[in-house]
Amino acid sequence: MPAGNAAQASILDLIFSNTAWANVGNAGGILGSSAAGDLYVALHTANPGAGGTQATSEAAYIGYARVAISRASASWTVSGSSPTSISNAAAVTFPAATGGSETETYFSIGVASSGATEIIVFGALTSSLAVSSGITPSFAIGQMTTTCD
């Protein structure tokens, strides 16, 4: 079911930036959380798919961990319409590899620091990243972008 352009942006702003969705229900709208909390970015060696979890094809190099990113406009950029996109507004840096070797091709954003947890959105990396001992995966502003259509 398609969503209206303005609704797409409002939903993403609510989830990623903890910004109230005005005029839904009453004048206050759907409010953001009193404590914004974090979302968690994971790396994947293959497409986790819409039915997958953050553990689906998740990176497994030695030293890997998901990265907590706050639900704030300083962390995420919501832009455009039809489709609306979400991208990192700050660099995202994962722990350095201390062993293992693999190639990361996708990222996901979800709700927990570990486990087979819900994916909110996912997307392909702008370019694949070979990770081996001594490599610190890091993504500059805007390198982790996906769309909601």
Side-chain angles (χ1 to χ4, degrees), residues 122-136:
F122 66 96
L125 296 173
T126 53
S127 59
S128 60
L129 177 64
V131 177
S132 58
S133 190
I135 301 292
T136 301

Side-chain angles (χ1 to χ4, degrees), residues 106-129:
Y106 279 79
F107 70 95
S108 68
I109 303 168
V111 299
S113 61
S114 63
T117 53
E118 176 182 6
I119 291 175
I120 298 171
V121 296
F122 66 96
L125 296 173
T126 53
S127 59
S128 60
L129 177 64

Side-chain angles (χ1 to χ4, degrees), residues 13-110:
D13 275 333
L14 178 65
I15 293 169
F16 288 90
S17 300
N18 198 35
T19 302
W21 184 359
N23 303 316
V24 176
N26 63 34
I30 299 175
L31 302 178
S33 302
S34 59
D38 295 326
L39 296 173
Y40 295 86
V41 182
L43 292 174
H44 301 270
T45 58
N47 186 344
T53 69
Q54 282 199 286
T56 304
S57 303
E58 187 171 14
Y61 66 81
I62 298 170
Y64 169 79
R66 293 179 191 165
V67 175
I69 306 289
S70 64
R71 292 178 56 222
S73 58
S75 302
W76 306 102
T77 300
V78 174
S79 61
S81 63
S82 191
T84 303
S85 68
I86 183 78
S87 61
N88 59 311
V92 176
T93 302
F94 289 83
T98 57
S101 179
E102 60 189 28
T103 300
E104 315 307 344
T105 57
Y106 279 79
F107 70 95
S108 68
I109 303 168

